[in-house]
Each structure stands twice: as structure tokens, then as C-alpha cells.
Amino acid sequence: MQKRTISRSQYDTHKPKELRRLYEPLGVLHELTMKGTTKPRSIFSTSAQGISIMQRRRNFVDAIAFLGAYGKGCEIAVAVERQPDGLIVRVAGTGDIDGTVVPFVNSLLGMLSATMKLGKDEIKGDNKERILLCLSDFALDFAQEKVFSHYMKLLHHIAPVCLADMTAGLNEARRDSLDFMTWFQENFYKNGAPLPREHMKLLAKECFKARQSRLINHLREFTYQGHEHVTYFEKFYKQLRKLSLTIDMTSQLLESTIFLRQDFTNDLAAESIPSSPSLPIPLLPRKLTIEGIANRMFSDPSKRDDFPQKLQQTAPPKLIQTLAQYSQEVHTEVHPELLVINYFDTLSDGGFIDERDRYIGCTKPSCYLCHLFILYHPAGYSMISSSSKICLNWRLPDISVKEYNAMARAENQKSILRQLINTIRIQLEEKVNNEWILQTHRTESETEWTLPIDDGTLNYSPQPPSPESTPSYPITSTELRIPELDISPDETSSVDKDPDQDAEDVILFKGRCRF
């Protein structure tokens, strides 16, 4: 789907030097995090206490967001808007939103509305099972490509390793291993060949049944610490669950709808929120030097001297060349959850179905910058689960001078940007310091190791602390703090002009309006 284009005259641009103060350290932090051996952990999990009406509404939009994402490259965010004449399910995201996602969601909402016209006694027992089957079949038809991609990944990259291990240990395995492998061969192949796409609906149902019967729980016996392929078995279990997750989310949608019957007094309809244009990342190759990045990060001369030295020792090879490559190849866009926030920020009337819980359902956990944006936003949007992933294709929402309350929103965004810059700077500084300390300890350990003495013992220095013992990036939500802002100017105050001082270069970056 081709990105929509917007006239530049509707927008102003951020100051290039202000944007570089975010994206330069962000690019370095991205590379240092990618170099790490541990994956980022989830830093926040949202779940209202108990099965309240608030939680049911969250479950509803979460289910719509999952079911509406039809395949790779499609990520959506969903919120329910209350208008004077009814409710609107707002959908934003990547992929074909208007042509594919919105029609599917409207059909799904139509089926749910028809169900809610039945009496309460008619949505019980076998009738309820038939309704769920009908909804699941419709959702699985729509999710065929997504289920097929999960199937192929499992079949070609995960299952061969796990099945080989299970086969090798059959002489000491329980009956469970034989039962599982027999079930797998019967359902994941047809005449010895991989299944075609049209078999994905049946496969998803078989995986759902296997999960209910606890047949796949046997895989957990291979995830004990020390097993050679423990990560493969963990992925095997998760991937089997993904194959049937569409049925789980359809069930969650139906249960939430039944509980929220009062919200379906009038028929719901889905409408899209326009996506954002794709724009180059605001990095300039001629300004990408370690010393220049440090000069723009710190006003303290000692830190400007200390940081480059430590970064030189800990940075991955060709760091600056990689950042320069990003400046040519990476394009930014407004992520789905921020598109939804920006839409609700522009409303002069109306708002969320429940203004006490301004929650947005998302296909996937939010990236780290989206998490911080929501955290720093003054309107108090509900926090969304975050994967803590650093995405370089991220940018602030676009603001048009013609939109409602553009001036106030621009000021809010300016404040958020300052906090993002400061948080990323602190995270990068901590990351580099931790890496430098670990590297120094390893070097000292190697140099202090001595030859064996006559009694056959070894004399060596204490082992360096493990990476797990040092503060990891990103910090958890409980550790997250809003540091005091560094509002010092970007340029140094020395007599000699900083060679990295910004000229009148122009970077088109639609993010915040300046007035």
C-alpha cells in the first residue's frame, strides 16, 4: 500500500540540531544493545485488577488489535471513541488499513452485534459454542497468511532440532514423547509433505485441542537448565501456541462483548486513522563522529572528554559507518499507538469510551520510545505493555497548523522531546560505563592470571561480575525515573567555535509544529 503524501506547507520542522540530540545517541544505544547477548525484557505489563468492566474493555480492543493484524508488516492499534450518536472503533496502523483491516473489523463487529440481539439464555451452552465456532472460522480465514508464516517457521527452523532430540532420547523417554511426535507427524504433514495454506484453519484447531488436552505441555520437560537446546524447546512451545492464538483471541472477544452488552446498544462501526508518511531519519553523515556526538550530548567538559574514550573501547566495529548507513537507509514513521494518541489529542469533543482509562489495544508490545512518549504525555494515557525494543524508525506524531489546539500540542511535544533526549542520553551513558567497567575487569583478569605453581594449583584474580549483575538496558518500569533535564545549549561555550556546530542545514522531519 502506497504511503499517503502530505504537503510540507501544512507543517513546520524541528530544529535539525534538536533532532540529532535524540537520534545520534539513540543510534549508538541501538548498536550497543544489539551487540548484547541478552534480549530486552518486557518493562511494563498492564492488566486491570480482576475481571472488571475496565478490564473487559481492554480485552476487547486487545482482541481486535490482534485479530485485525492479518500478516507480517501489519501492526495496528485500536481504541473505542465515544461520540454523541454512538461508539466508533478507531483503527490505526501499518499495512492496508482501509482496504483490508477496517472491512474485516466491521464484519466482525456486525457478527457480534447480531449476537448481542439474542437473549442471554440464547448465548449459553451449545449455542455459545456454535457462535464461537462461527467467529473463529471467520477470523482464521482472515489470519491464514499469519498462521502459515508461524507454521513454516516452526516446521523448518524449530521442529527439526527438537524432534531430533526427542527421538534420540526415546529409549529413556516416557510415553508422552511418543504421543506428541505421533500427533505432530499426523497434523503437520500431508503425505509426508508440508501443509498448504488452505489447511491452516484445521491445523490451528488441532493445536488448540492439543493445548486443551495438555499434550504439548510435555515440551516443558526439555526446558530445564543445562539442556543443550533449551531455547529451541521454549520456542517450540510458544510457536505451537501462536498457531492457535486466533481462537483464544476470538473467545476473548466474544466473552468481552457479552459482558459489555450495554456498549452494543447501538451498532459499532470501525473507522481508520490516517497513517503517517515515511521520512528519512534526521542524521547527517558529516556530523557523525564520536567526539561530535559527545559534544552534543554533554555540557560538562569532563564528560565530553571521558565519554568518547570509553565509547571507543566498547563500541562495536565500524559504529560510525553503521550510523552513516542508517542516515541513508532508515525512514521514520509514526507508530500506530501514537497515531491513535495524536488523533484523540486533536478532538474538540468526544473522547475515549472511558476517560478514566485511556487505553489503546496494540498488536504487539510498544517499543521503548512509544513507552516513554506515553509516560511523559501530560494527558495521562494508560500505559501499554512494552517490549523495550529500540526502534530507529520511530518519530513524534505530525502536527498540522490547521488542527485543533495545535499550539498547545506543539508545546507538549516539545517538552516530551526534551525528556526523551535526556532519558536516552542517561541510558547511553550508563550503558557505556557498564560495558567499560566489565571490559576493564576482563582485561585485568587476563593479565593477572599466573602460571601453575609446583603444587598444581592456580593463582588467579576474582572473576568479573556477570553481565546480569550490572544495570541492564532498558530499565524496568519500577526503576524508571524522570531525570532532571539538561537544558544546557547544544554547542560548547569555548572561545573556539565547535566544528560540530549546526549550520543552516535543513532536514525535513514532520514531528512538531513551531509557531
Side-chain angles (χ1 to χ4, degrees):
M1 177 182 176
Q2 188 174 2
K3 288 277 187 183
R4 67 191 183 94
T5 58
I6 300 178
S7 171
R8 181 182 175 184
S9 63
Q10 296 183 34
Y11 298 88
D12 203 352
T13 58
H14 280 283
K15 293 178 181 178
K17 64 181 181 181
E18 190 175 16
L19 293 171
R20 282 197 293 276
R21 288 183 67 206
L22 172 64
Y23 282 91
E24 287 175 350
L26 184 69
V28 177
L29 186 58
H30 174 271
E31 287 305 296
L32 292 179
T33 305
M34 291 289 287
K35 186 187 76 169
T37 57
T38 57
K39 289 186 176 181
R41 296 173 297 170
S42 178
I43 63 176
F44 200 90
S45 179
T46 59
S47 180
Q49 295 298 319
I51 307 298
S52 62
I53 188 170
M54 181 183 293
Q55 185 61 54
R56 293 293 190 181
R57 283 174 173 156
R58 289 186 174 196
N59 290 346
F60 180 85
V61 292
D62 283 341
I64 293 290
F66 177 85
L67 296 173
Y70 55 85
K72 187 177 180 180
C74 179
E75 298 180 15
I76 66 175
V78 178
V80 179
E81 177 188 356
R82 184 180 295 280
Q83 293 187 342
D85 55 347
L87 302 177
I88 300 292
V89 177
R90 292 291 174 186
V91 182
T94 57
D96 187 7
I97 301 299
D98 287 309
T100 302
V101 177
V102 169
F104 164 75
V105 174
N106 272 322
S107 297
L108 198 58
L109 292 174
M111 297 170 72
L112 292 171
S113 294
T115 300
M116 291 304 100
K117 289 180 171 62
L118 300 174
K120 291 184 179 181
D121 292 337
E122 297 180 87
I123 315 177
K124 292 182 178 180
D126 292 341
N127 281 344
K128 185 178 178 181
E129 290 298 320
R130 282 192 289 268
I131 293 170
L132 178 59
L133 178 62
C134 182
L135 289 169
S136 297
D137 284 347
F138 180 69
L140 284 170
D141 286 336
F142 185 75
Q144 179 176 278
E145 284 299 323
K146 179 167 61 177
V147 176
F148 186 70
S149 67
H150 291 319
Y151 165 74
M152 294 302 289
K153 179 179 179 180
L154 184 150
L155 196 68
H156 295 296
H157 301 290
I158 302 173
V161 175
C162 297
L163 295 178
D165 277 12
M166 296 174 75
T167 301
L170 276 181
N171 56 334
E172 54 189 55
R174 298 203 312 263
R175 176 72 183 176
D176 294 341
S177 290
L178 288 171
D179 291 343
F180 176 83
M181 288 191 294
T182 300
W183 171 83
F184 189 88
Q185 291 293 334
E186 289 176 350
N187 292 284
F188 280 72
Y189 295 93
K190 182 178 181 180
N191 299 325
L195 300 175
R197 282 178 172 79
E198 54 267 23
H199 280 233
M200 292 301 103
K201 181 192 296 185
L202 180 60
L203 178 63
K205 292 180 179 181
E206 289 299 328
C207 289
F208 184 75
K209 293 177 183 177
R211 283 176 49 212
Q212 287 184 316
S213 68
R214 302 184 180 275
L215 178 63
I216 69 172
N217 286 1
H218 176 59
L219 296 176
R220 291 180 173 176
E221 296 182 12
F222 294 87
T223 60
Y224 59 85
Q225 187 175 5
H227 191 280
E228 181 181 3
H229 297 128
V230 58
T231 56
Y232 278 89
F233 279 96
E234 289 173 348
K235 292 178 181 178
F236 200 1
Y237 182 86
K238 292 178 181 178
Q239 205 71 10
L240 286 170
R241 184 176 183 273
K242 286 182 180 180
L243 288 172
S244 61
L245 195 53
T246 298
I247 300 175
D248 290 300
M249 299 307 288
T250 306
S251 177
Q252 175 176 307
L253 181 65
L254 178 60
E255 293 294 340
S256 300
T257 303
I258 293 172
F259 190 89
L260 300 171
R261 180 182 286 267
Q262 69 277 13
D263 292 341
F264 281 80
T265 304
N266 297 319
D267 291 344
L268 270 72
E271 295 182 10
S272 67
I273 295 172
S275 60
S276 67
S278 180
L279 298 172
I281 189 171
L283 293 173
L284 289 181
R286 64 184 176 84
K287 290 184 175 291
L288 292 174
T289 64
I290 289 180
E291 292 76 13
I293 293 172
N295 285 341
R296 286 182 285 276
M297 284 178 61
F298 302 106
S299 59
D300 185 342
S302 62
K303 288 188 176 182
R304 287 203 303 265
D305 295 335
D306 184 56
F307 180 80
Q309 296 177 17
K310 292 180 178 179
L311 183 57
Q312 290 278 13
Q313 297 181 43
T314 59
K318 299 182 178 180
L319 170 64
I320 297 302
Q321 293 92 321
T322 300
L323 295 180
Q325 187 176 0
Y326 288 155
S327 71
Q328 304 298 319
E329 298 178 356
V330 175
H331 285 70
T332 64
E333 60 186 11
V334 183
H335 288 190
E337 51 269 57
L338 299 195
L339 288 172
V340 174
I341 288 175
N342 193 52
Y343 170 80
F344 279 93
D345 282 348
T346 63
L347 296 180
S348 58
D349 56 358
F352 278 77
I353 184 173
D354 183 358
E355 282 295 318
R356 298 168 301 174
D357 186 37
R358 312 186 87 198
Y359 181 77
I360 301 167
C362 297
T363 302
K364 295 181 178 180
S366 294
C367 73
Y368 188 51
L369 287 177
C370 283
H371 173 84
L372 292 178
F373 183 93
I374 297 171
L375 178 67
Y376 296 143
H377 197 288
Y381 288 92
S382 298
M383 296 306 298
I384 305 170
S385 295
S386 173
S387 66
S388 70
K389 181 180 180 182
I390 300 174
C391 295
L392 294 181
N393 72 340
W394 181 94
R395 83 162 183 271
L396 295 162
D398 305 326
I399 298 178
S400 169
V401 296
K402 298 179 181 180
E403 293 172 343
Y404 172 75
N405 66 359
M407 181 76 75
R409 289 165 51 223
E411 288 303 313
N412 288 339
Q413 203 173 95
K414 182 178 180 180
S415 174
I416 293 172
L417 179 57
R418 285 198 301 265
Q419 294 179 82
L420 291 174
I421 290 170
N422 203 49
T423 299
I424 296 302
R425 175 182 60 80
I426 290 174
Q427 290 295 319
L428 177 57
E429 187 180 9
E430 290 179 353
K431 179 73 173 177
V432 170
N433 284 335
N434 292 335
E435 292 285 340
W436 182 79
I437 290 171
L438 285 174
Q439 193 172 99
T440 302
H441 284 182
R442 292 192 195 101
T443 304
E444 291 175 353
S445 223
E446 292 170 359
T447 57
E448 291 176 18
W449 194 284
T450 63
L451 292 173
I453 56 178
D454 293 339
D455 61 1
T457 63
L458 289 176
N459 179 27
Y460 56 90
S461 62
Q463 290 296 311
S466 65
E468 289 78 7
S469 66
T470 61
S472 60
Y473 174 80
I475 52 182
T476 64
S477 61
T478 54
E479 300 168 318
L480 193 60
R481 60 193 183 279
I482 302 177
E484 185 176 344
L485 294 181
D486 178 3
I487 57 176
S488 59
D490 297 327
E491 318 305 336
T492 65
S493 57
S494 59
V495 177
D496 296 331
K497 186 176 179 63
D498 182 357
D500 291 290
Q501 184 172 355
D502 291 287
E504 292 299 322
D505 45 2
V506 177
I507 300 177
L508 176 60
F509 187 79
K510 302 173 184 175
R512 176 182 58 79
C513 217
R514 292 207 317 274
F515 298 89

